[in-house]
Amino acid sequence: MAKTIVVKQIGSPIRRPAVQRQILIGLGLNKMHKTRELEDTPAIRGMVAKIPHLVEIVEERG
């Protein structure tokens, strides 16, 4: 079974650069307090690391 992480959106993309909004959409997040369970890959970790002020890792399952 692949490792997964649960990511929650904690910030709004309003008045943020368009790239940050696109990263949120790439993670499958678009509204405040939504959560997604995603595969724990370097690509996903990199996306989360680019917008730490907008998302948080709630849980790591593995």
Side-chain angles (χ1 to χ4, degrees):
M1 187 167 112
K3 289 179 65 175
T4 61
I5 57 174
V6 178
V7 179
K8 179 178 181 180
Q9 182 176 344
I10 58 169
S12 172
I14 294 173
R15 295 185 56 133
R16 304 279 182 195
V19 170
Q20 293 181 5
R21 180 184 296 269
Q22 291 168 351
I23 291 171
L24 278 175
I25 292 168
L27 290 170
L29 299 170
N30 61 353
K31 294 183 178 146
M32 293 288 291
H33 309 293
K34 292 273 185 167
T35 59
R36 283 291 309 262
E37 185 171 347
L38 303 166
E39 249 185 278
D40 190 6
T41 63
I44 298 295
R45 288 284 183 164
M47 292 168 81
V48 170
K50 282 214 169 221
I51 53 170
H53 53 289
L54 298 179
V55 298
E56 71 177 356
I57 296 176
V58 178
E59 184 179 351
E60 296 185 28
R61 300 179 183 160

